[in-house]
């Protein structure tokens, strides 16, 4: 790492104000602070100095997302009839391009705005860029992912002044934009694995599709999956939302690192359970009669 630090220090003057590539200062700063703790410190006043800055905090969140991401990749392959390593590789081939598009488009826009404002590249997009592919169906076209990301970053964040100024969550705004603009791709009985294929007789045949558990519950009040399958996550759904166990591992990482508050998490689940019980008491339709705890295990509730 010392050798890499030396290389970065040697080229840094070229990217600072007055250097030949000074117009790329924000881009260079983003790379440097991604690799190293910033080597500039305050000179006066009372401060606590350690290696945990905002970017490192965001990285903890990304690390916490990895269990759900990896299981989501495996589940993508599992849903088309594959097992083991083959299922994981199939899922990675489907999901990694979505992740790449999310980061390339989102960070590209962030860098352009940072250069215009002569500011640092905001660290928040490291998390947003990871979240967006995880809250969309794996069958979402890449151009649609790119359009959703661009809309979210520009109209949900940058027009308000950037990180800390935005009134919307960019990841959720991307999902909402794609949902309302291209509803058939995001909701319905055949959205999740439509066109991905199913392993039959050792071959992948196009045309397999299936409804998510939430779609089944909303239409019939019952689902074709057990509670254990909902906990493990071997069921259709967006990449990051199916496995409650993988999500719980991420939650423990957030709590253990001090990034998240257990009060917030507990409050969300208590509120969700309370609403489920209220629906049960009303019982106006089959969906309202679904056991309250079921709502905590399916759909995007736990991941949210």
């Amino acid at each position: 790492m010392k050798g890499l630090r030396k290389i970065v220090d040697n080229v840094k003057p070229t990217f600072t104000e007055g250097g030949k590539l000074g117009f790329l200062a924000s881009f260079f700063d983003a790379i440097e602070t991604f690799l190293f703790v910033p080597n500039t410190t305050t000179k006066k006043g009372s401060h606590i100095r350690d290696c945990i800055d905002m970017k490192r905090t965001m990285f903890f969140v990304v690390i916490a997302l990895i269990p759900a991401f990896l299981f989501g990749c495996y589940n993508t392959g599992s849903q088309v009839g594959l097992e083991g390593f083959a299922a994981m590789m199939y899922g990675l081939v489907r999901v990694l391009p979505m992740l790449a598009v999310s980061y390339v488009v989102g960070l590209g826009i962030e860098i352009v705005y940072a250069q215009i404002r002569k500011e640092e590249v905001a660290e928040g997009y490291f998390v947003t860029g990871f979240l967006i592919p995880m809250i969309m169906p794996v069958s979402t076209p890449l151009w649609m992912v790119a359009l959703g990301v661009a809309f979210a970053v520009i109209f949900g964040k940058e027009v308000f002044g950037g990180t800390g100024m935005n009134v919307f969550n960019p990841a959720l705004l991307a999902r909402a934009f794609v949902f309302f603009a291209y509803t058939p791709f995001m909701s319905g009985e055949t959205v999740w694995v439509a066109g991905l294929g199913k392993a039959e007789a050792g071959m992948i045949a196009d045309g397999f599709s299936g409804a998510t558990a939430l779609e089944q519950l909303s239409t019939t009040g019952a689902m074709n999956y057990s509670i254990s399958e909902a906990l493990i996550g071997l069921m259709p759904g967006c990449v990051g939302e199916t496995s409650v166990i993988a999500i719980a591992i991420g939650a423990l990482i957030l709590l253990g690192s001090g990034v998240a508050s257990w009060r917030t998490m507990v409050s969300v689940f208590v509120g969700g359970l309370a609403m489920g019980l209220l629906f049960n008491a009303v019982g106006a339709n089959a969906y309202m009669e679904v056991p309250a705890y079921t709502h905590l295990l399916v759909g995007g509730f736990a991941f949210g």
Side-chain angles (χ1 to χ4, degrees), residues 29-185:
D29 178 75
I31 295 176
E32 182 185 17
T33 53
F34 177 85
L35 296 172
F36 303 101
V37 174
N39 58 0
T40 55
T41 59
T42 53
K43 302 300 182 182
K44 59 184 180 179
S46 300
H47 300 276
I48 297 175
R49 298 185 176 91
D50 60 21
C51 63
I52 306 299
D53 61 1
M54 186 58 71
K55 286 186 174 62
R56 296 306 181 269
T57 301
M58 294 297 101
F59 290 155
F60 272 115
V61 181
V62 171
I63 291 171
L65 289 170
I66 289 176
F69 175 81
L70 291 178
F71 186 87
C73 291
Y74 174 82
N75 186 49
T76 298
S78 174
Q79 291 302 311
V80 297
L82 301 176
E83 297 179 356
F85 182 74
M88 176 61 77
M89 292 305 298
Y90 181 88
L92 287 172
V93 169
R94 301 293 310 192
V95 178
L96 285 180
M98 297 174 65
L99 187 66
V101 168
S102 177
Y103 274 120
V104 169
V105 174
L107 282 177
I109 295 172
E110 291 260 0
I111 289 170
V112 170
Y113 272 91
Q115 292 293 160
I116 294 173
R117 296 171 178 154
K118 296 183 178 181
E119 299 174 346
E120 295 181 355
V121 176
E123 56 276 343
Y125 194 78
F126 289 115
V127 173
T128 301
F130 206 80
L131 281 172
I132 290 175
M134 296 181 71
I135 59 176
M136 290 189 180
V138 73
S139 54
T140 306
L142 295 181
W143 66 265
M144 206 175 290
V145 176
L147 195 59
V149 168
F151 180 88
V153 175
I154 295 173
F155 294 102
K157 184 177 180 181
E158 299 301 342
V159 296
F160 292 101
T163 299
M165 305 280 210
N166 52 302
V167 297
F168 301 110
N169 180 294
L172 293 181
L173 188 61
R175 163 80 188 205
F177 172 79
V178 177
F179 178 86
F180 287 109
Y182 308 101
T183 303
F185 288 89

Side-chain angles (χ1 to χ4, degrees), residues 226-241:
S226 65
I227 295 301
S228 61
E229 286 176 318
L231 286 170
I232 296 171
L234 294 173
M235 57 198 301
C238 294
V239 177
E241 75 177 20

Side-chain angles (χ1 to χ4, degrees), residues 222-255:
M223 61 180 181
N224 297 329
Y225 307 98
S226 65
I227 295 301
S228 61
E229 286 176 318
L231 286 170
I232 296 171
L234 294 173
M235 57 198 301
C238 294
V239 177
E241 75 177 20
T242 61
S243 176
V244 176
I245 293 176
I247 293 167
I249 293 173
L252 291 175
I253 293 174
L254 291 176
L255 292 172

